[in-house]
Amino acid sequence: MLLRFCNRLIFILSLLGLTVSAFLFYEYSLSGPMNCPVGNGCDIVRASPYSKFLGISLPILGIIFYAFMAGLSIWRTKNIQDTRFTGLQLLSALAGFAFGVYLTLLEAFVIGAYCFWCVLSFIISGVVLLFAVFSWRKRHEN
Amino acid sequence: MKTETKVLGIILIITIALLFGGIFLLSRNSSGSAEERVAQIDYTKGQKIGSDSAKVKLVEFSDFQCPACRAAEPVLQRIRSTYSDRIQLIYRHFPLYQHQNARRAAYLSEAAGQQGKFWEVHDKIFETQTQWSNLGNNEATVLFLDLAKQLGLDEDKVKQEISADTFKTLIDTDIAEGRRLGVNSTPTFFLNGRKLNLQNFNDLVTVIDEELKK
């Protein structure tokens, strides 16, 4: 029951992350100032060369990551006890969070500005990782 | 297939459809046909770098207090040094009402322009943007006068011109022309009259190169 609850939370958080990434994708396609609820670093981050990774716009990577995480949690509902899914979910969440750490360090030490939406996405990926770790541990305790 | 799998799958599909449908509709409304339309810009106005006979004219509507305008500066400075003989860069003021010190910064730049140092002050204002953006009116004026002094301007003349709103009409004229041209954010660029929709300020170099090849 707890595993199912964790999986649903991961699904909901992934939808939230997907929405944030889709919003960023839209904002990145515009030339005007970004809608930045806290501070004014969004424009600086968007204008920096780090707004792309290997030529791919970061919001697109965010969309792919969260859509994959949501898809994975749907797939997991087929067999919530399957350790392969738990492991894959944990590894994917870890990869997403690690990439978020890298981007946040870039914001802090290279760009010198924080984008509210990017930080929000980073926090969401952190919470997803927490539930993935919890889920993985619970599965292996059983 | 389990009911939960079906329900979550449907929710994901609906979410993706709503998000991308929304993005598609919003993008269609915001891009419009501005890029194709050549706007009638008054090229006699504004602060310029480059020859009046240059084949390519890049007009920037900018706000000294806007972070995005500051972020665009490195690319613009590169353009100024690389294309100085082939393009004309024109700076037009568009201080946004929510930026309390933007208009005063614009006054300072125009006062410097009267003394032949618009671009030196322009660069310095952007360079120091974070130092004065959150200051009160009086503190910002003190900082601006200090900048004027550092750059060798006649401080008393600058002080008098800022306090007398000498350049109010000039700035208001720029804002009015910007509004007429559909400027609603800063920085907004027009390349030979075509409004640019840039994803990245580095794209400015690409569109200038393309325009020069025509």
Side-chain angles (χ1 to χ4, degrees):
Chain A
M1 191 62 195
L2 202 57
L3 286 178
R4 199 169 291 282
F5 179 69
C6 269
N7 191 49
R8 284 177 189 172
L9 279 177
I10 290 174
F11 177 76
I12 292 166
L13 286 164
S14 301
L15 290 191
L16 195 64
L18 189 63
T19 308
V20 171
S21 300
F23 175 75
L24 268 174
F25 174 72
Y26 168 68
E27 287 283 345
Y28 271 46
S29 68
L30 303 175
S31 61
M34 278 181 70
N35 193 340
C36 208
V38 179
N40 46 25
C42 300
D43 292 314
I44 298 170
V45 173
R46 180 182 61 174
S48 79
Y50 304 99
S51 63
K52 286 182 179 176
F53 183 76
L54 301 175
I56 305 167
S57 178
L58 288 180
I60 293 177
L61 291 179
I63 289 169
I64 294 169
F65 169 68
Y66 287 114
F68 180 74
M69 289 307 291
L72 206 56
S73 47
I74 293 172
W75 192 23
R76 230 191 122 192
T77 56
K78 286 182 178 176
N79 183 0
I80 204 76
Q81 299 295 338
D82 194 328
T83 48
R84 288 175 305 167
F85 293 155
T86 333
L88 186 58
Q89 202 168 38
L90 176 64
L91 277 179
S92 311
L94 196 61
F97 180 73
F99 192 61
V101 170
Y102 162 71
L103 295 177
T104 309
L105 288 175
L106 275 180
E107 285 184 310
F109 299 108
V110 181
I111 304 170
Y114 292 98
C115 159
F116 171 81
W117 300 106
C118 311
V119 174
L120 181 62
S121 175
F122 173 56
I123 292 169
I124 293 169
S125 72
V127 183
V128 166
L129 177 64
L130 277 180
F131 283 112
V133 170
F134 182 74
S135 191
W136 187 80
R137 286 190 61 175
K138 275 284 162 205
R139 179 65 195 88
H140 284 77
E141 277 171 12
N142 295 337
Chain B
M1 199 182 280
K2 283 187 175 180
T3 312
E4 188 185 9
T5 312
K6 277 185 196 166
V7 171
L8 295 190
I10 290 168
I11 291 173
L12 179 63
I13 290 166
I14 291 174
T15 307
I16 290 175
L18 283 176
L19 288 175
F20 287 92
I23 289 172
F24 174 73
L25 286 175
L26 286 170
S27 305
R28 213 175 47 170
N29 290 340
S30 63
S31 61
S33 57
E35 259 193 291
E36 301 308 318
R37 194 166 55 88
V38 176
Q40 296 302 311
I41 299 176
D42 184 351
Y43 290 112
T44 62
K45 296 193 168 68
Q47 294 287 346
K48 300 165 190 166
I49 280 191
S51 163
D52 280 341
S53 60
K55 182 184 167 190
V56 173
K57 288 179 191 284
L58 179 68
V59 179
E60 179 193 13
F61 280 87
S62 176
D63 169 341
F64 282 116
Q65 199 174 332
C66 131
C69 301
R70 182 168 70 97
E73 269 308 293
V75 177
L76 286 168
Q77 288 188 11
R78 207 165 73 228
I79 289 169
R80 270 158 57 185
S81 59
T82 314
Y83 299 91
S84 58
D85 53 337
R86 286 173 288 166
I87 76 161
Q88 185 178 53
L89 176 65
I90 305 173
Y91 185 94
R92 303 292 300 269
H93 298 284
F94 202 81
L96 301 171
Y97 72 92
Q98 66 267 38
H99 291 156
Q100 56 169 351
N101 293 321
R103 184 175 273 269
R104 197 165 289 103
Y107 286 175
L108 169 69
S109 70
E110 287 300 330
Q114 292 287 309
Q115 297 177 42
K117 289 193 172 177
F118 173 84
W119 291 101
E120 286 94 327
V121 169
H122 162 279
D123 295 350
K124 196 75 183 170
I125 292 173
F126 275 123
E127 203 182 299
T128 57
Q129 190 193 68
T130 50
Q131 293 172 31
W132 54 263
S133 285
N134 297 319
L135 295 178
N137 292 353
N138 293 337
E139 293 158 301
T141 305
V142 169
L143 190 141
F144 288 153
L145 291 175
D146 188 47
L147 288 184
K149 196 176 168 183
Q150 282 174 37
L151 293 167
L153 297 173
D154 181 340
E155 199 184 339
D156 292 335
K157 194 162 184 284
V158 171
K159 189 176 183 178
Q160 191 267 323
E161 284 172 338
I162 290 179
S163 56
D165 279 355
T166 307
F167 303 105
K168 186 180 183 302
T169 311
L170 187 148
I171 308 291
D172 288 343
T173 306
D174 274 9
I175 294 172
E177 177 152 24
R179 286 195 181 134
R180 180 180 68 75
L181 296 168
V183 174
N184 53 15
S185 61
T186 53
T188 294
F189 296 96
F190 290 86
L191 189 67
N192 280 351
R194 281 181 304 114
K195 190 177 177 185
L196 300 178
N197 289 317
L198 303 168
Q199 288 191 13
N200 188 301
F201 294 128
N202 285 317
D203 294 346
L204 267 174
V205 177
T206 315
V207 289
I208 288 172
D209 282 338
E210 282 169 5
E211 198 69 19
L212 283 168
K213 279 182 200 158
K214 282 182 185 171

